[in-house]
PDB file of all heavy atoms in Angstrom:
ATOM      1  N   PHE U  23       0.271 -23.665  -7.045  1.00 83.00           N
ATOM      2  CA  PHE U  23       0.270 -22.172  -6.847  1.00 83.00           C
ATOM      3  C   PHE U  23      -0.891 -21.560  -7.612  1.00 83.00           C
ATOM      4  O   PHE U  23      -1.545 -20.633  -7.053  1.00 83.00           O
ATOM      5  CB  PHE U  23       1.560 -21.519  -7.274  1.00 83.00           C
ATOM      6  CG  PHE U  23       2.544 -21.390  -6.264  1.00 83.00           C
ATOM      7  CD1 PHE U  23       3.668 -22.138  -6.182  1.00 83.00           C
ATOM      8  CD2 PHE U  23       2.349 -20.450  -5.329  1.00 83.00           C
ATOM      9  CE1 PHE U  23       4.599 -22.086  -5.224  1.00 83.00           C
ATOM     10  CE2 PHE U  23       3.312 -20.274  -4.236  1.00 83.00           C
ATOM     11  CZ  PHE U  23       4.473 -21.064  -4.281  1.00 83.00           C
ATOM     12  N   ASN U  24      -1.199 -22.013  -8.845  1.00 83.00           N
ATOM     13  CA  ASN U  24      -2.312 -21.525  -9.537  1.00 83.00           C
ATOM     14  C   ASN U  24      -3.652 -21.805  -8.831  1.00 83.00           C
ATOM     15  O   ASN U  24      -4.506 -20.982  -8.779  1.00 83.00           O
ATOM     16  CB  ASN U  24      -2.351 -22.122 -10.939  1.00 83.00           C
ATOM     17  CG  ASN U  24      -1.368 -21.475 -11.825  1.00 83.00           C
ATOM     18  OD1 ASN U  24      -0.896 -20.301 -11.615  1.00 83.00           O
ATOM     19  ND2 ASN U  24      -0.924 -22.212 -12.882  1.00 83.00           N
ATOM     20  N   GLN U  25      -3.766 -22.886  -8.254  1.00 90.00           N
ATOM     21  CA  GLN U  25      -5.003 -23.297  -7.488  1.00 90.00           C
ATOM     22  C   GLN U  25      -5.068 -22.452  -6.252  1.00 90.00           C
ATOM     23  O   GLN U  25      -6.278 -21.952  -5.890  1.00 90.00           O
ATOM     24  CB  GLN U  25      -4.997 -24.817  -7.086  1.00 90.00           C
ATOM     25  CG  GLN U  25      -6.207 -25.256  -6.326  1.00 90.00           C
ATOM     26  CD  GLN U  25      -7.450 -25.151  -7.116  1.00 90.00           C
ATOM     27  OE1 GLN U  25      -7.439 -25.273  -8.389  1.00 90.00           O
ATOM     28  NE2 GLN U  25      -8.590 -24.828  -6.406  1.00 90.00           N
ATOM     29  N   LEU U  26      -3.976 -22.272  -5.496  1.00 92.00           N
ATOM     30  CA  LEU U  26      -4.052 -21.322  -4.295  1.00 92.00           C
ATOM     31  C   LEU U  26      -4.401 -19.915  -4.792  1.00 92.00           C
ATOM     32  O   LEU U  26      -5.187 -19.233  -4.113  1.00 92.00           O
ATOM     33  CB  LEU U  26      -2.696 -21.353  -3.593  1.00 92.00           C
ATOM     34  CG  LEU U  26      -2.449 -22.609  -2.747  1.00 92.00           C
ATOM     35  CD1 LEU U  26      -0.957 -22.614  -2.255  1.00 92.00           C
ATOM     36  CD2 LEU U  26      -3.389 -22.745  -1.587  1.00 92.00           C
ATOM     37  N   LEU U  27      -3.762 -19.469  -5.870  1.00 91.00           N
ATOM     38  CA  LEU U  27      -4.030 -18.068  -6.306  1.00 91.00           C
ATOM     39  C   LEU U  27      -5.464 -17.925  -6.665  1.00 91.00           C
ATOM     40  O   LEU U  27      -6.132 -16.990  -6.431  1.00 91.00           O
ATOM     41  CB  LEU U  27      -3.078 -17.828  -7.486  1.00 91.00           C
ATOM     42  CG  LEU U  27      -3.197 -16.422  -8.118  1.00 91.00           C
ATOM     43  CD1 LEU U  27      -2.842 -15.383  -6.998  1.00 91.00           C
ATOM     44  CD2 LEU U  27      -2.207 -16.266  -9.183  1.00 91.00           C
ATOM     45  N   LEU U  28      -6.083 -18.944  -7.379  1.00 91.00           N
ATOM     46  CA  LEU U  28      -7.513 -18.964  -7.675  1.00 91.00           C
ATOM     47  C   LEU U  28      -8.348 -18.807  -6.497  1.00 91.00           C
ATOM     48  O   LEU U  28      -9.318 -18.096  -6.481  1.00 91.00           O
ATOM     49  CB  LEU U  28      -7.764 -20.154  -8.571  1.00 91.00           C
ATOM     50  CG  LEU U  28      -9.310 -20.255  -8.990  1.00 91.00           C
ATOM     51  CD1 LEU U  28      -9.720 -19.095  -9.967  1.00 91.00           C
ATOM     52  CD2 LEU U  28      -9.584 -21.665  -9.603  1.00 91.00           C
ATOM     53  N   GLN U  29      -7.974 -19.558  -5.453  1.00 95.00           N
ATOM     54  CA  GLN U  29      -8.825 -19.545  -4.279  1.00 95.00           C
ATOM     55  C   GLN U  29      -8.782 -18.202  -3.431  1.00 95.00           C
ATOM     56  O   GLN U  29      -9.696 -17.629  -2.888  1.00 95.00           O
ATOM     57  CB  GLN U  29      -8.430 -20.604  -3.267  1.00 95.00           C
ATOM     58  CG  GLN U  29      -8.763 -22.021  -3.764  1.00 95.00           C
ATOM     59  CD  GLN U  29     -10.237 -22.247  -3.942  1.00 95.00           C
ATOM     60  OE1 GLN U  29     -11.018 -21.901  -3.185  1.00 95.00           O
ATOM     61  NE2 GLN U  29     -10.533 -22.735  -5.104  1.00 95.00           N
ATOM     62  N   ILE U  30      -7.621 -17.630  -3.528  1.00 95.00           N
ATOM     63  CA  ILE U  30      -7.305 -16.276  -2.773  1.00 95.00           C
ATOM     64  C   ILE U  30      -7.954 -15.124  -3.594  1.00 95.00           C
ATOM     65  O   ILE U  30      -8.587 -14.330  -3.152  1.00 95.00           O
ATOM     66  CB  ILE U  30      -5.863 -16.105  -2.563  1.00 95.00           C
ATOM     67  CG1 ILE U  30      -5.277 -17.136  -1.583  1.00 95.00           C
ATOM     68  CG2 ILE U  30      -5.560 -14.649  -2.073  1.00 95.00           C
ATOM     69  CD1 ILE U  30      -3.802 -17.162  -1.563  1.00 95.00           C
ATOM     70  N   ALA U  31      -7.572 -14.981  -4.901  1.00 93.00           N
ATOM     71  CA  ALA U  31      -8.001 -13.935  -5.694  1.00 93.00           C
ATOM     72  C   ALA U  31      -9.364 -14.002  -6.310  1.00 93.00           C
ATOM     73  O   ALA U  31      -9.928 -12.930  -6.520  1.00 93.00           O
ATOM     74  CB  ALA U  31      -6.888 -13.729  -6.840  1.00 93.00           C
ATOM     75  N   GLY U  32      -9.737 -15.254  -6.668  1.00 93.00           N
ATOM     76  CA  GLY U  32     -10.992 -15.424  -7.209  1.00 93.00           C
ATOM     77  C   GLY U  32     -10.951 -15.410  -8.775  1.00 93.00           C
ATOM     78  O   GLY U  32     -10.043 -14.926  -9.448  1.00 93.00           O
ATOM     79  N   LYS U  33     -11.852 -16.142  -9.342  1.00 92.00           N
ATOM     80  CA  LYS U  33     -11.867 -16.471 -10.829  1.00 92.00           C
ATOM     81  C   LYS U  33     -12.037 -15.058 -11.639  1.00 92.00           C
ATOM     82  O   LYS U  33     -11.262 -14.947 -12.633  1.00 92.00           O
ATOM     83  CB  LYS U  33     -13.030 -17.295 -11.196  1.00 92.00           C
ATOM     84  CG  LYS U  33     -13.081 -17.658 -12.645  1.00 92.00           C
ATOM     85  CD  LYS U  33     -13.918 -18.813 -12.905  1.00 92.00           C
ATOM     86  CE  LYS U  33     -14.176 -19.234 -14.391  1.00 92.00           C
ATOM     87  NZ  LYS U  33     -13.139 -18.886 -15.333  1.00 92.00           N
ATOM     88  N   LYS U  34     -12.743 -14.157 -11.118  1.00 91.00           N
ATOM     89  CA  LYS U  34     -12.952 -12.883 -11.962  1.00 91.00           C
ATOM     90  C   LYS U  34     -11.574 -12.203 -12.044  1.00 91.00           C
ATOM     91  O   LYS U  34     -11.344 -11.675 -13.049  1.00 91.00           O
ATOM     92  CB  LYS U  34     -13.986 -12.064 -11.212  1.00 91.00           C
ATOM     93  CG  LYS U  34     -14.343 -10.708 -11.948  1.00 91.00           C
ATOM     94  CD  LYS U  34     -15.399 -10.034 -11.178  1.00 91.00           C
ATOM     95  CE  LYS U  34     -15.718  -8.671 -11.774  1.00 91.00           C
ATOM     96  NZ  LYS U  34     -16.624  -7.915 -11.020  1.00 91.00           N
ATOM     97  N   LEU U  35     -10.935 -12.073 -10.932  1.00 90.00           N
ATOM     98  CA  LEU U  35      -9.595 -11.355 -10.958  1.00 90.00           C
ATOM     99  C   LEU U  35      -8.576 -12.175 -11.808  1.00 90.00           C
ATOM    100  O   LEU U  35      -7.921 -11.481 -12.573  1.00 90.00           O
ATOM    101  CB  LEU U  35      -9.056 -11.115  -9.531  1.00 90.00           C
ATOM    102  CG  LEU U  35      -7.746 -10.407  -9.423  1.00 90.00           C
ATOM    103  CD1 LEU U  35      -7.724  -9.090 -10.039  1.00 90.00           C
ATOM    104  CD2 LEU U  35      -7.386 -10.271  -7.960  1.00 90.00           C
TER     105      LEU U  35
END
Side-chain angles (χ1 to χ4, degrees):
F23 268 107
N24 285 334
Q25 182 62 33
L26 286 172
L27 186 58
L28 178 64
Q29 293 300 314
I30 293 168
K33 183 169 176 22
K34 183 178 175 183
L35 179 58

